[in-house]
PDB file of all heavy atoms in Angstrom:
ATOM      1  N   SER A   1     -30.969 -18.116-132.662  1.00 37.00           N
ATOM      2  CA  SER A   1     -31.588 -18.922-133.640  1.00 37.00           C
ATOM      3  C   SER A   1     -30.789 -18.737-134.871  1.00 37.00           C
ATOM      4  O   SER A   1     -30.484 -17.599-135.276  1.00 37.00           O
ATOM      5  CB  SER A   1     -33.039 -18.545-133.704  1.00 37.00           C
ATOM      6  OG  SER A   1     -33.563 -19.280-134.833  1.00 37.00           O
ATOM      7  N   MET A   2     -30.745 -19.860-135.636  1.00 37.00           N
ATOM      8  CA  MET A   2     -30.006 -19.870-136.916  1.00 37.00           C
ATOM      9  C   MET A   2     -30.912 -19.893-138.055  1.00 37.00           C
ATOM     10  O   MET A   2     -30.529 -20.163-139.144  1.00 37.00           O
ATOM     11  CB  MET A   2     -29.010 -21.000-136.961  1.00 37.00           C
ATOM     12  CG  MET A   2     -27.976 -20.912-135.867  1.00 37.00           C
ATOM     13  SD  MET A   2     -26.907 -19.509-135.986  1.00 37.00           S
ATOM     14  CE  MET A   2     -25.853 -19.484-134.606  1.00 37.00           C
ATOM     15  N   VAL A   3     -32.253 -19.709-137.868  1.00 38.00           N
ATOM     16  CA  VAL A   3     -33.131 -19.825-139.015  1.00 38.00           C
ATOM     17  C   VAL A   3     -32.927 -18.743-139.976  1.00 38.00           C
ATOM     18  O   VAL A   3     -32.978 -18.825-141.155  1.00 38.00           O
ATOM     19  CB  VAL A   3     -34.646 -19.829-138.438  1.00 38.00           C
ATOM     20  CG1 VAL A   3     -35.581 -19.889-139.587  1.00 38.00           C
ATOM     21  CG2 VAL A   3     -34.875 -21.094-137.579  1.00 38.00           C
ATOM     22  N   GLY A   4     -32.629 -17.496-139.426  1.00 38.00           N
ATOM     23  CA  GLY A   4     -32.274 -16.466-140.259  1.00 38.00           C
ATOM     24  C   GLY A   4     -30.827 -16.163-140.172  1.00 38.00           C
ATOM     25  O   GLY A   4     -29.957 -17.023-139.826  1.00 38.00           O
ATOM     26  N   THR A   5     -30.376 -14.935-140.434  1.00 37.00           N
ATOM     27  CA  THR A   5     -28.981 -14.530-140.332  1.00 37.00           C
ATOM     28  C   THR A   5     -28.585 -14.329-138.899  1.00 37.00           C
ATOM     29  O   THR A   5     -29.276 -13.522-138.193  1.00 37.00           O
ATOM     30  CB  THR A   5     -28.643 -13.310-141.111  1.00 37.00           C
ATOM     31  OG1 THR A   5     -29.086 -13.632-142.484  1.00 37.00           O
ATOM     32  CG2 THR A   5     -27.186 -12.970-141.123  1.00 37.00           C
ATOM     33  N   ALA A   6     -27.575 -14.942-138.470  1.00 39.00           N
ATOM     34  CA  ALA A   6     -27.179 -14.829-137.040  1.00 39.00           C
ATOM     35  C   ALA A   6     -25.915 -13.996-136.841  1.00 39.00           C
ATOM     36  O   ALA A   6     -25.186 -13.965-137.843  1.00 39.00           O
ATOM     37  CB  ALA A   6     -26.965 -16.265-136.408  1.00 39.00           C
ATOM     38  N   VAL A   7     -25.718 -13.496-135.700  1.00 35.00           N
ATOM     39  CA  VAL A   7     -24.451 -12.765-135.426  1.00 35.00           C
ATOM     40  C   VAL A   7     -23.327 -13.709-135.209  1.00 35.00           C
ATOM     41  O   VAL A   7     -23.476 -14.675-134.356  1.00 35.00           O
ATOM     42  CB  VAL A   7     -24.583 -11.865-134.223  1.00 35.00           C
ATOM     43  CG1 VAL A   7     -23.368 -11.131-133.956  1.00 35.00           C
ATOM     44  CG2 VAL A   7     -25.732 -10.871-134.440  1.00 35.00           C
ATOM     45  N   PRO A   8     -22.160 -13.645-135.835  1.00 39.00           N
ATOM     46  CA  PRO A   8     -21.132 -14.533-135.585  1.00 39.00           C
ATOM     47  C   PRO A   8     -20.672 -14.607-134.175  1.00 39.00           C
ATOM     48  O   PRO A   8     -20.650 -13.611-133.513  1.00 39.00           O
ATOM     49  CB  PRO A   8     -19.881 -13.973-136.587  1.00 39.00           C
ATOM     50  CG  PRO A   8     -20.656 -13.152-137.551  1.00 39.00           C
ATOM     51  CD  PRO A   8     -21.891 -12.570-136.880  1.00 39.00           C
ATOM     52  N   GLN A   9     -20.330 -15.805-133.731  1.00 45.00           N
ATOM     53  CA  GLN A   9     -19.925 -15.954-132.363  1.00 45.00           C
ATOM     54  C   GLN A   9     -18.493 -16.222-132.295  1.00 45.00           C
ATOM     55  O   GLN A   9     -17.967 -17.144-132.916  1.00 45.00           O
ATOM     56  CB  GLN A   9     -20.722 -17.124-131.764  1.00 45.00           C
ATOM     57  CG  GLN A   9     -22.232 -16.911-131.776  1.00 45.00           C
ATOM     58  CD  GLN A   9     -22.980 -18.159-131.133  1.00 45.00           C
ATOM     59  OE1 GLN A   9     -22.511 -18.757-130.164  1.00 45.00           O
ATOM     60  NE2 GLN A   9     -24.009 -18.625-131.850  1.00 45.00           N
ATOM     61  N   ALA A  10     -17.784 -15.450-131.431  1.00 39.00           N
ATOM     62  CA  ALA A  10     -16.345 -15.680-131.332  1.00 39.00           C
ATOM     63  C   ALA A  10     -16.113 -16.958-130.483  1.00 39.00           C
ATOM     64  O   ALA A  10     -16.969 -17.364-129.524  1.00 39.00           O
ATOM     65  CB  ALA A  10     -15.637 -14.495-130.625  1.00 39.00           C
ATOM     66  N   ASP A  11     -14.957 -17.546-130.647  1.00 45.00           N
ATOM     67  CA  ASP A  11     -14.585 -18.726-129.947  1.00 45.00           C
ATOM     68  C   ASP A  11     -14.041 -18.400-128.691  1.00 45.00           C
ATOM     69  O   ASP A  11     -12.768 -18.229-128.380  1.00 45.00           O
ATOM     70  CB  ASP A  11     -13.598 -19.576-130.715  1.00 45.00           C
ATOM     71  CG  ASP A  11     -13.432 -21.055-130.189  1.00 45.00           C
ATOM     72  OD1 ASP A  11     -14.125 -21.307-129.073  1.00 45.00           O
ATOM     73  OD2 ASP A  11     -12.646 -21.772-130.677  1.00 45.00           O
ATOM     74  N   THR A  12     -14.885 -18.074-127.603  1.00 41.00           N
ATOM     75  CA  THR A  12     -14.369 -17.535-126.394  1.00 41.00           C
ATOM     76  C   THR A  12     -14.426 -18.601-125.245  1.00 41.00           C
ATOM     77  O   THR A  12     -14.094 -18.303-124.040  1.00 41.00           O
ATOM     78  CB  THR A  12     -15.343 -16.377-125.865  1.00 41.00           C
ATOM     79  OG1 THR A  12     -16.676 -16.787-125.763  1.00 41.00           O
ATOM     80  CG2 THR A  12     -15.264 -15.198-126.863  1.00 41.00           C
ATOM     81  N   ARG A  13     -14.742 -19.866-125.539  1.00 48.00           N
ATOM     82  CA  ARG A  13     -14.818 -20.848-124.542  1.00 48.00           C
ATOM     83  C   ARG A  13     -13.517 -21.234-124.014  1.00 48.00           C
ATOM     84  O   ARG A  13     -12.451 -20.994-124.657  1.00 48.00           O
ATOM     85  CB  ARG A  13     -15.515 -22.068-125.191  1.00 48.00           C
ATOM     86  CG  ARG A  13     -14.754 -22.799-126.203  1.00 48.00           C
ATOM     87  CD  ARG A  13     -15.487 -23.965-126.799  1.00 48.00           C
ATOM     88  NE  ARG A  13     -16.800 -23.500-127.349  1.00 48.00           N
ATOM     89  CZ  ARG A  13     -17.750 -24.363-127.629  1.00 48.00           C
ATOM     90  NH1 ARG A  13     -17.585 -25.609-127.548  1.00 48.00           N
ATOM     91  NH2 ARG A  13     -18.826 -23.861-128.268  1.00 48.00           N
ATOM     92  N   ASP A  14     -13.476 -21.640-122.797  1.00 44.00           N
ATOM     93  CA  ASP A  14     -12.159 -22.047-122.182  1.00 44.00           C
ATOM     94  C   ASP A  14     -11.493 -23.191-122.924  1.00 44.00           C
ATOM     95  O   ASP A  14     -12.131 -23.964-123.560  1.00 44.00           O
ATOM     96  CB  ASP A  14     -12.402 -22.451-120.707  1.00 44.00           C
ATOM     97  CG  ASP A  14     -12.910 -21.346-119.810  1.00 44.00           C
ATOM     98  OD1 ASP A  14     -12.681 -20.118-120.205  1.00 44.00           O
ATOM     99  OD2 ASP A  14     -13.706 -21.520-118.906  1.00 44.00           O
ATOM    100  N   PRO A  15     -10.172 -23.217-122.729  1.00 46.00           N
ATOM    101  CA  PRO A  15      -9.505 -24.434-123.272  1.00 46.00           C
ATOM    102  C   PRO A  15     -10.030 -25.627-122.772  1.00 46.00           C
ATOM    103  O   PRO A  15     -10.398 -25.673-121.627  1.00 46.00           O
ATOM    104  CB  PRO A  15      -7.936 -24.085-122.900  1.00 46.00           C
ATOM    105  CG  PRO A  15      -7.887 -22.601-122.621  1.00 46.00           C
ATOM    106  CD  PRO A  15      -9.231 -22.380-122.063  1.00 46.00           C
ATOM    107  N   LEU A  16      -9.868 -26.744-123.544  1.00 47.00           N
ATOM    108  CA  LEU A  16     -10.302 -27.997-123.115  1.00 47.00           C
ATOM    109  C   LEU A  16      -9.577 -28.426-121.765  1.00 47.00           C
ATOM    110  O   LEU A  16      -8.325 -28.388-121.757  1.00 47.00           O
ATOM    111  CB  LEU A  16     -10.060 -29.074-124.242  1.00 47.00           C
ATOM    112  CG  LEU A  16     -10.832 -30.290-124.155  1.00 47.00           C
ATOM    113  CD1 LEU A  16     -12.315 -30.063-124.370  1.00 47.00           C
ATOM    114  CD2 LEU A  16     -10.419 -31.274-125.234  1.00 47.00           C
ATOM    115  N   PRO A  17     -10.309 -28.814-120.726  1.00 50.00           N
ATOM    116  CA  PRO A  17      -9.666 -29.201-119.514  1.00 50.00           C
ATOM    117  C   PRO A  17      -8.672 -30.298-119.697  1.00 50.00           C
ATOM    118  O   PRO A  17      -8.867 -31.259-120.529  1.00 50.00           O
ATOM    119  CB  PRO A  17     -10.952 -29.606-118.608  1.00 50.00           C
ATOM    120  CG  PRO A  17     -12.069 -29.012-119.245  1.00 50.00           C
ATOM    121  CD  PRO A  17     -11.825 -28.955-120.711  1.00 50.00           C
ATOM    122  N   PRO A  18      -7.531 -30.342-118.957  1.00 49.00           N
ATOM    123  CA  PRO A  18      -6.571 -31.372-119.030  1.00 49.00           C
ATOM    124  C   PRO A  18      -7.270 -32.760-118.950  1.00 49.00           C
ATOM    125  O   PRO A  18      -6.803 -33.739-119.684  1.00 49.00           O
ATOM    126  CB  PRO A  18      -5.594 -31.122-118.010  1.00 49.00           C
ATOM    127  CG  PRO A  18      -5.717 -29.617-117.765  1.00 49.00           C
ATOM    128  CD  PRO A  18      -7.193 -29.316-117.956  1.00 49.00           C
ATOM    129  N   PHE A  19      -8.150 -32.988-118.036  1.00 45.00           N
ATOM    130  CA  PHE A  19      -8.739 -34.329-117.834  1.00 45.00           C
ATOM    131  C   PHE A  19      -9.435 -34.762-119.084  1.00 45.00           C
ATOM    132  O   PHE A  19      -9.373 -35.872-119.471  1.00 45.00           O
ATOM    133  CB  PHE A  19      -9.682 -34.277-116.658  1.00 45.00           C
ATOM    134  CG  PHE A  19     -10.484 -35.569-116.461  1.00 45.00           C
ATOM    135  CD1 PHE A  19      -9.770 -36.595-115.794  1.00 45.00           C
ATOM    136  CD2 PHE A  19     -11.782 -35.738-116.897  1.00 45.00           C
ATOM    137  CE1 PHE A  19     -10.409 -37.823-115.615  1.00 45.00           C
ATOM    138  CE2 PHE A  19     -12.311 -36.895-116.739  1.00 45.00           C
ATOM    139  CZ  PHE A  19     -11.706 -37.939-116.065  1.00 45.00           C
ATOM    140  N   ALA A  20     -10.185 -33.769-119.727  1.00 51.00           N
ATOM    141  CA  ALA A  20     -10.883 -34.100-120.980  1.00 51.00           C
ATOM    142  C   ALA A  20      -9.812 -34.544-122.066  1.00 51.00           C
ATOM    143  O   ALA A  20     -10.006 -35.430-122.834  1.00 51.00           O
ATOM    144  CB  ALA A  20     -11.728 -33.096-121.406  1.00 51.00           C
ATOM    145  N   LEU A  21      -8.780 -33.724-122.204  1.00 57.00           N
ATOM    146  CA  LEU A  21      -7.817 -34.062-123.197  1.00 57.00           C
ATOM    147  C   LEU A  21      -7.131 -35.408-122.952  1.00 57.00           C
ATOM    148  O   LEU A  21      -7.037 -36.225-123.809  1.00 57.00           O
ATOM    149  CB  LEU A  21      -6.642 -32.965-123.213  1.00 57.00           C
ATOM    150  CG  LEU A  21      -6.918 -31.599-123.852  1.00 57.00           C
ATOM    151  CD1 LEU A  21      -5.816 -30.615-123.606  1.00 57.00           C
ATOM    152  CD2 LEU A  21      -7.017 -31.880-125.374  1.00 57.00           C
ATOM    153  N   ALA A  22      -6.852 -35.700-121.694  1.00 71.00           N
ATOM    154  CA  ALA A  22      -6.286 -36.914-121.290  1.00 71.00           C
ATOM    155  C   ALA A  22      -7.232 -38.006-121.561  1.00 71.00           C
ATOM    156  O   ALA A  22      -6.885 -39.186-122.105  1.00 71.00           O
ATOM    157  CB  ALA A  22      -5.807 -36.920-119.853  1.00 71.00           C
ATOM    158  N   GLY A  23      -8.506 -37.903-121.186  1.00 85.00           N
ATOM    159  CA  GLY A  23      -9.528 -38.855-121.307  1.00 85.00           C
ATOM    160  C   GLY A  23      -9.679 -39.253-122.829  1.00 85.00           C
ATOM    161  O   GLY A  23      -9.722 -40.372-123.160  1.00 85.00           O
ATOM    162  N   VAL A  24     -10.017 -38.229-123.655  1.00 91.00           N
ATOM    163  CA  VAL A  24     -10.151 -38.518-125.120  1.00 91.00           C
ATOM    164  C   VAL A  24      -8.939 -39.028-125.693  1.00 91.00           C
ATOM    165  O   VAL A  24      -8.948 -39.974-126.509  1.00 91.00           O
ATOM    166  CB  VAL A  24     -10.650 -37.185-125.781  1.00 91.00           C
ATOM    167  CG1 VAL A  24     -10.569 -37.420-127.392  1.00 91.00           C
ATOM    168  CG2 VAL A  24     -11.940 -36.768-125.322  1.00 91.00           C
ATOM    169  N   GLY A  25      -7.782 -38.525-125.237  1.00 90.00           N
ATOM    170  CA  GLY A  25      -6.493 -39.087-125.824  1.00 90.00           C
ATOM    171  C   GLY A  25      -6.307 -40.407-125.460  1.00 90.00           C
ATOM    172  O   GLY A  25      -5.803 -41.187-126.318  1.00 90.00           O
ATOM    173  N   ALA A  26      -6.653 -40.826-124.217  1.00 93.00           N
ATOM    174  CA  ALA A  26      -6.451 -42.206-123.802  1.00 93.00           C
ATOM    175  C   ALA A  26      -7.380 -43.167-124.643  1.00 93.00           C
ATOM    176  O   ALA A  26      -6.890 -44.211-124.979  1.00 93.00           O
ATOM    177  CB  ALA A  26      -6.832 -42.391-122.320  1.00 93.00           C
ATOM    178  N   ILE A  27      -8.556 -42.672-124.945  1.00 94.00           N
ATOM    179  CA  ILE A  27      -9.461 -43.526-125.862  1.00 94.00           C
ATOM    180  C   ILE A  27      -8.812 -43.673-127.141  1.00 94.00           C
ATOM    181  O   ILE A  27      -8.877 -44.789-127.785  1.00 94.00           O
ATOM    182  CB  ILE A  27     -10.858 -42.870-125.892  1.00 94.00           C
ATOM    183  CG1 ILE A  27     -11.579 -42.895-124.541  1.00 94.00           C
ATOM    184  CG2 ILE A  27     -11.675 -43.590-126.997  1.00 94.00           C
ATOM    185  CD1 ILE A  27     -12.760 -42.014-124.422  1.00 94.00           C
ATOM    186  N   ALA A  28      -8.204 -42.600-127.736  1.00 94.00           N
ATOM    187  CA  ALA A  28      -7.597 -42.687-128.988  1.00 94.00           C
ATOM    188  C   ALA A  28      -6.437 -43.582-129.045  1.00 94.00           C
ATOM    189  O   ALA A  28      -6.183 -44.281-129.962  1.00 94.00           O
ATOM    190  CB  ALA A  28      -7.297 -41.283-129.521  1.00 94.00           C
ATOM    191  N   VAL A  29      -5.667 -43.539-127.943  1.00 95.00           N
ATOM    192  CA  VAL A  29      -4.436 -44.372-127.798  1.00 95.00           C
ATOM    193  C   VAL A  29      -4.839 -45.817-127.789  1.00 95.00           C
ATOM    194  O   VAL A  29      -4.319 -46.688-128.400  1.00 95.00           O
ATOM    195  CB  VAL A  29      -3.692 -43.953-126.611  1.00 95.00           C
ATOM    196  CG1 VAL A  29      -2.638 -45.103-126.269  1.00 95.00           C
ATOM    197  CG2 VAL A  29      -3.039 -42.673-126.718  1.00 95.00           C
ATOM    198  N   VAL A  30      -5.917 -46.105-127.012  1.00 94.00           N
ATOM    199  CA  VAL A  30      -6.369 -47.572-126.949  1.00 94.00           C
ATOM    200  C   VAL A  30      -6.913 -48.044-128.315  1.00 94.00           C
ATOM    201  O   VAL A  30      -6.627 -49.148-128.805  1.00 94.00           O
ATOM    202  CB  VAL A  30      -7.520 -47.675-125.876  1.00 94.00           C
ATOM    203  CG1 VAL A  30      -8.172 -49.093-126.004  1.00 94.00           C
ATOM    204  CG2 VAL A  30      -6.954 -47.452-124.422  1.00 94.00           C
ATOM    205  N   ALA A  31      -7.533 -47.055-129.036  1.00 94.00           N
ATOM    206  CA  ALA A  31      -8.038 -47.446-130.334  1.00 94.00           C
ATOM    207  C   ALA A  31      -6.891 -47.702-131.258  1.00 94.00           C
ATOM    208  O   ALA A  31      -6.882 -48.655-132.115  1.00 94.00           O
ATOM    209  CB  ALA A  31      -8.904 -46.339-130.896  1.00 94.00           C
ATOM    210  N   ALA A  32      -5.876 -46.828-131.133  1.00 95.00           N
ATOM    211  CA  ALA A  32      -4.720 -47.000-132.072  1.00 95.00           C
ATOM    212  C   ALA A  32      -3.920 -48.309-131.818  1.00 95.00           C
ATOM    213  O   ALA A  32      -3.548 -48.989-132.659  1.00 95.00           O
ATOM    214  CB  ALA A  32      -3.735 -45.820-131.878  1.00 95.00           C
ATOM    215  N   VAL A  33      -3.812 -48.638-130.487  1.00 94.00           N
ATOM    216  CA  VAL A  33      -3.113 -49.887-130.117  1.00 94.00           C
ATOM    217  C   VAL A  33      -3.906 -51.104-130.677  1.00 94.00           C
ATOM    218  O   VAL A  33      -3.341 -52.056-131.171  1.00 94.00           O
ATOM    219  CB  VAL A  33      -2.950 -50.003-128.600  1.00 94.00           C
ATOM    220  CG1 VAL A  33      -2.556 -51.416-128.114  1.00 94.00           C
ATOM    221  CG2 VAL A  33      -2.001 -48.918-128.049  1.00 94.00           C
ATOM    222  N   ALA A  34      -5.242 -51.053-130.546  1.00 93.00           N
ATOM    223  CA  ALA A  34      -6.135 -52.196-131.070  1.00 93.00           C
ATOM    224  C   ALA A  34      -5.900 -52.276-132.617  1.00 93.00           C
ATOM    225  O   ALA A  34      -5.769 -53.379-133.050  1.00 93.00           O
ATOM    226  CB  ALA A  34      -7.592 -51.874-130.663  1.00 93.00           C
ATOM    227  N   LEU A  35      -5.828 -51.172-133.255  1.00 94.00           N
ATOM    228  CA  LEU A  35      -5.684 -51.240-134.656  1.00 94.00           C
ATOM    229  C   LEU A  35      -4.302 -51.742-135.072  1.00 94.00           C
ATOM    230  O   LEU A  35      -4.173 -52.641-135.834  1.00 94.00           O
ATOM    231  CB  LEU A  35      -5.916 -49.805-135.304  1.00 94.00           C
ATOM    232  CG  LEU A  35      -7.401 -49.294-135.370  1.00 94.00           C
ATOM    233  CD1 LEU A  35      -7.378 -47.819-135.763  1.00 94.00           C
ATOM    234  CD2 LEU A  35      -8.202 -50.179-136.083  1.00 94.00           C
ATOM    235  N   LEU A  36      -3.342 -51.141-134.426  1.00 93.00           N
ATOM    236  CA  LEU A  36      -1.875 -51.594-134.801  1.00 93.00           C
ATOM    237  C   LEU A  36      -1.677 -53.045-134.477  1.00 93.00           C
ATOM    238  O   LEU A  36      -0.873 -53.721-135.224  1.00 93.00           O
ATOM    239  CB  LEU A  36      -0.903 -50.694-134.003  1.00 93.00           C
ATOM    240  CG  LEU A  36      -0.848 -49.198-134.473  1.00 93.00           C
ATOM    241  CD1 LEU A  36       0.068 -48.475-133.523  1.00 93.00           C
ATOM    242  CD2 LEU A  36      -0.413 -49.121-135.845  1.00 93.00           C
TER     243      LEU A  36
END
């Protein structure tokens, strides 16, 4: 709980899966193409 003072949490999560990177990247590319 963050209502009081909390213990800092290290960033131990796994790297973003390649599929997620590709998926979000693809959305960004489509957005960029639409804008350009």
Side-chain angles (χ1 to χ4, degrees):
S1 171
M2 299 295 176
V3 175
T5 301
V7 178
Q9 302 178 42
D11 191 358
T12 58
R13 64 184 63 192
D14 294 332
L16 201 62
F19 177 80
L21 279 171
V24 172
I27 294 168
V29 168
V30 171
V33 170
L35 290 174
L36 291 174

